[in-house]
Amino acid sequence: MSRVVKLLTLLTTIVIISACATPPPPPPPMPTAEDHFNNGVAFFKEGNFDGAISELKMATNMKPNYTEAYFYLGQAFEKKNMYDQAERAYRDCIASNQRYVQAHEALGLMLYRLNRFPEAKAELEMAVNLNSVNPEVYTDLGYIYLTDKQCTKARKMFKKALDINSSFYPAKNGLKQANAICRTGGGKRKTKVKTLKTFQGGGKAIDPGNF
């Protein structure tokens, strides 16, 4: 057999073997914004806040109006005491959906703890208007009203908090203070109000399945 024939035979064999070989599997699909969001939420619930921040940032980069991702991003930043970044994330969340009550709650409660009372008041009032069911929202707003000597509003907030949770001590104490202040001075006497820090740590994580 000539060298040419041998070469042709070899090439034919290679072609036949190549045709029969199993093709390589396709590459895995690129992660979606939802994939990054789900990973971020999982990291958050595990207490891995750095991992959560990284994943949630990727989710919002891919989907700029990703409301839930901004909310959890704010939660993760708040857990790390990175308040400027948390505030920015909460406000981005609200910008994407102005009726997202959890963002107004979390931002208002955080601002209250930071003693930024006028800004906290605006966010907490918005949460109330959106029918919040968080007794801390009504309690902290009640203390702000009480500090401003708005006794009627303060009482209403404390009572609303107790309607939601009748054993919520900060609201019970706030109502007691409001009754005492309003009886003795009608809300006009300058009385120092003890503001309770009713909320520690980041806002309560919301199960994305609830939205």
Side-chain angles (χ1 to χ4, degrees), residues 148-186:
D148 292 339
K149 306 302 180 292
Q150 299 182 60
C151 291
T152 300
K153 286 186 175 182
R155 281 195 186 111
K156 181 180 179 181
M157 291 299 103
F158 294 132
K159 288 179 179 178
K160 179 61 178 178
L162 292 172
D163 287 342
I164 297 170
N165 183 349
S166 60
S167 62
F168 194 60
Y169 173 76
K172 286 184 176 180
N173 189 69
L175 184 58
K176 181 179 178 181
Q177 288 191 53
N179 288 335
I181 291 170
C182 295
R183 275 202 309 267
T184 58

Side-chain angles (χ1 to χ4, degrees), residues 21-125:
T22 302
M30 294 296 292
T32 65
E34 286 70 26
D35 292 330
H36 288 299
F37 171 73
N38 291 332
N39 290 338
V41 172
F43 281 136
F44 179 84
K45 291 181 177 179
E46 292 170 0
N48 181 356
F49 304 123
D50 288 325
I53 289 169
S54 177
E55 288 291 326
L56 293 166
K57 279 185 174 180
M58 285 189 279
T60 57
N61 287 339
M62 296 176 70
K63 188 176 178 181
N65 290 322
Y66 205 150
T67 302
E68 294 88 348
Y70 283 121
F71 174 73
Y72 271 103
L73 186 58
Q75 295 274 278
F77 277 129
E78 192 174 350
K79 286 291 189 180
K80 290 179 63 65
N81 298 325
M82 299 171 69
Y83 299 120
D84 289 343
Q85 294 90 332
E87 179 179 355
R88 189 176 306 115
Y90 288 140
R91 293 197 184 281
D92 285 339
C93 177
I94 292 168
S96 68
N97 181 355
Q98 294 185 0
R99 298 187 62 80
Y100 198 82
V101 62
Q102 291 89 352
H104 290 290
E105 291 172 342
L107 180 56
L109 293 169
M110 185 183 77
L111 293 172
Y112 180 83
R113 294 196 311 279
L114 296 174
N115 297 323
R116 292 167 58 182
F117 299 121
E119 295 164 280
K121 178 182 177 183
E123 294 301 327
L124 295 173
E125 286 180 334

Side-chain angles (χ1 to χ4, degrees), residues 8 10 15 28-29 43 61-62 71 100 120 146 158 165 178 183 191-193 196 199-200 208:
L8 290 174
L10 178 60
V15 169
F43 281 136
N61 287 339
M62 296 176 70
F71 174 73
Y100 198 82
L146 193 54
F158 294 132
N165 183 349
R183 275 202 309 267
T191 307
K192 184 177 181 180
V193 178
L196 298 183
F199 185 78
Q200 300 297 326

